[in-house]
Amino acid sequence: MKEAILQAEIRLALGRRMDIMMFRINVGKFRPLDGGERVIQSAPEGTPDLLGVIAPGRAFAIEVKAQRGKQRQVQAAWQVAWERRGGIYILARSLEDVYKGLDIKP
């Protein structure tokens, strides 16, 4: 399954739950439409695709990967930093990975 399709599946499944608040993070650089010279970084490199919180207040991060997709070194470093601070980090190759990582049922 393609990453974009899996990510949409995860967003739909978790978005229906009242105990979860979650949003998509776009990582990248861009220039303003006014033609300015400055470059804007939307989120730090390595930031996962999805960030959220599950009641009663546990922060989670989900990096979505296709079956053969590999976690980049900067993403692994982000994972370590997140988990050191008590966050839940899920490297998701399926919706089931997310359910397992959050310890919830569909």
Side-chain angles (χ1 to χ4, degrees):
M1 179 181 307
K2 289 186 176 186
E3 277 184 31
I5 294 169
L6 175 56
Q7 186 182 123
E9 184 178 294
I10 292 167
R11 291 171 63 194
L12 284 171
L14 298 186
R16 293 184 182 115
R17 298 180 61 103
M18 296 305 294
D19 59 338
I20 291 177
M21 180 177 165
M22 178 188 61
F23 53 96
R24 166 82 169 102
I25 301 293
N26 288 304
V27 177
K29 296 179 183 180
F30 64 93
R31 291 188 189 276
L33 293 175
D34 66 10
E37 291 297 313
R38 66 190 173 123
V39 175
I40 298 169
Q41 175 82 36
S42 62
E45 281 228 40
T47 302
D49 300 306
L50 305 167
L51 291 177
V53 65
I54 184 167
R58 247 350 258 285
F60 66 86
I62 302 171
E63 179 61 41
V64 180
K65 293 288 183 193
Q67 285 302 321
R68 287 195 246 158
K70 297 194 188 231
Q71 186 183 41
R72 293 181 292 123
Q73 187 173 3
V74 68
Q75 292 170 329
W78 204 100
Q79 177 181 357
V80 169
W82 186 255
E83 291 176 336
R84 276 190 187 148
R85 290 158 179 87
I88 300 167
Y89 187 96
I90 301 163
L91 184 59
R93 296 181 190 284
S94 68
L95 183 55
E96 290 74 30
D97 289 344
V98 175
Y99 290 141
K100 183 178 177 186
L102 293 175
D103 193 23
I104 57 175
K105 296 193 185 319

